[in-house]
Amino acid sequence: DAEITQSPRHKITETGRQVTLACHQTWNHNNMFWYRQDLGHGLRLIHYSYGVHDTNKGEVSDGYSVSRSNTEDLPLTLESAASSQTSVYFCASSESWLAGVYNEQFFGPGTRLTVL
Amino acid sequence: GENVEQHPSTLSVQEGDSAVIKCTYSDSASNYFPWYKQELGKRPQLIIDIRSNVGEKKDQRIAVTLNKTAKHFSLHITETQPEDSAVYFCAASSLNTGNQFYFGTGTSLTVIP
């Protein structure tokens, strides 16, 4: 069955280290998204991509980067991890939208990241 | 950009009662409003959505209403059951922002048996 996966599921790292969170989907969706979830803030968009080699900044992009070299993967990199980046990270994907028809975003299982 | 506000942040109801969660949005161009349910430790999952050309949509015990003039939309759950206990998120999206979703801050619903 098609699915969306994230790895690792849990990660503990130290301040200043570079961290990469993986997201992989097998639906062949063009759209992929990264969110962070924090108590009291809901889900906030970090970066998103509408296709290979396309990346865009979201609401809370500072300190994060993404690259899209194929349809299936959108890795999220924290260049120099900070304690403020301790959070639960969700990846999501959706089909391309055409003529104003929106499509459901499917979420991965999440990665819990702790920065000490 | 869009700003979505969601109320209440917590809600407790007795089993069998109804629950209502309300959201407001700021961008008049927003025209798609999904609702996601997130059980403890799980991923968010879509439970219902509504588009701006529709005022109300129902799916069994859940319904969503939309008032475009007032820029608010609501989730209604009737005959609540313990398995309805979860965090619920509303979101808004518009053609101006592609398929970006702007989420509310969530409502933690507890259904007391």
Side-chain angles (χ1 to χ4, degrees), chain A residues 26-72:
Chain A
T26 58
W27 282 303
N28 204 36
H29 286 166
N30 281 328
N31 300 341
M32 295 186 73
F33 310 84
W34 273 105
Y35 296 90
R36 60 177 290 174
Q37 183 174 35
D38 306 286
L39 198 62
H41 291 278
L43 293 154
R44 292 183 290 175
L45 185 64
I46 306 171
H47 282 286
Y48 58 102
S49 168
Y50 290 147
V52 177
H53 302 310
D54 175 74
T55 61
N56 305 278
K57 293 181 179 181
E59 179 186 3
V60 291
S61 61
D62 288 349
Y64 303 94
S65 64
V66 294
S67 62
R68 187 91 180 269
S69 58
N70 59 53
T71 301
E72 295 79 18

Side-chain angles (χ1 to χ4, degrees), chain A residues 37 45 48 94 102 105 107-108, chain B residues 31 36 38 94-95 99-100:
Chain A
Q37 183 174 35
L45 185 64
Y48 58 102
S94 72
Y102 294 96
Q105 287 189 19
F107 283 80
Chain B
N31 57 2
Y36 282 79
Q38 185 179 26
S94 79
L95 288 172
N99 202 22
Q100 284 188 62

Side-chain angles (χ1 to χ4, degrees), chain A residues 5-40:
Chain A
T5 58
Q6 294 183 234
S7 62
R9 296 294 312 279
H10 298 89
K11 174 77 176 178
I12 299 174
T13 191
E14 295 177 343
T15 302
R17 291 191 179 266
Q18 184 181 78
V19 177
T20 296
L21 308 182
C23 176
H24 179 79
Q25 53 95 4
T26 58
W27 282 303
N28 204 36
H29 286 166
N30 281 328
N31 300 341
M32 295 186 73
F33 310 84
W34 273 105
Y35 296 90
R36 60 177 290 174
Q37 183 174 35
D38 306 286
L39 198 62

